[in-house]
Amino acid sequence: MRPTGDAHIRFSTRTLFVVVTFVAFALACVFALSGWVDPFDDRNFDSQTWATASPDNRAPMARDVVSRVHGMDRDAVVELLGQPSDRLDAATDAGGHRLRGAEVFSYYIGSWSGYGFDDAFVYVHLDADGHVIYSEVTGY
């Protein structure tokens, strides 16, 4: 009996299907676990803790901070988070990241080299009228 080309194609298609399914499953697991092990999303924001904590202890609240400040004005941000570590008004930061708006409040949240940031920050981007237009956890 002579092998047909169809058997080879079915085998290749089946193998491709198994490989694609495995890769999709692996990517889904990595995506799910990345949120679980995110060091910037371990705690809800607490203004008293933020005010007295070291930068490394502020970091676990960073993602919650980012979600809370959207739409606030400059004074409300300072009231909530305190004075920023730095105020940036250039087109890019020291790491070359593009800054949005007229001014950016920078809050240092420590060194997280294991997560890709030698220095990590919460950036609060303000428009010319002093309203938050974007906020993020970033670093370089």
Side-chain angles (χ1 to χ4, degrees), residues 97-120:
H97 299 103
R98 182 177 158 262
L99 301 177
R100 303 173 187 191
E103 182 178 25
V104 177
F105 285 0
S106 173
Y107 294 89
Y108 181 66
I109 56 173
S111 178
W112 294 88
S113 298
Y115 295 93
F117 299 132
D118 287 338
D119 290 307

Side-chain angles (χ1 to χ4, degrees), residues 19-36:
V19 169
V20 167
T21 302
F22 176 77
V23 169
F25 178 74
L27 288 173
C29 287
V30 167
F31 181 74
L33 289 175
S34 69
W36 184 58

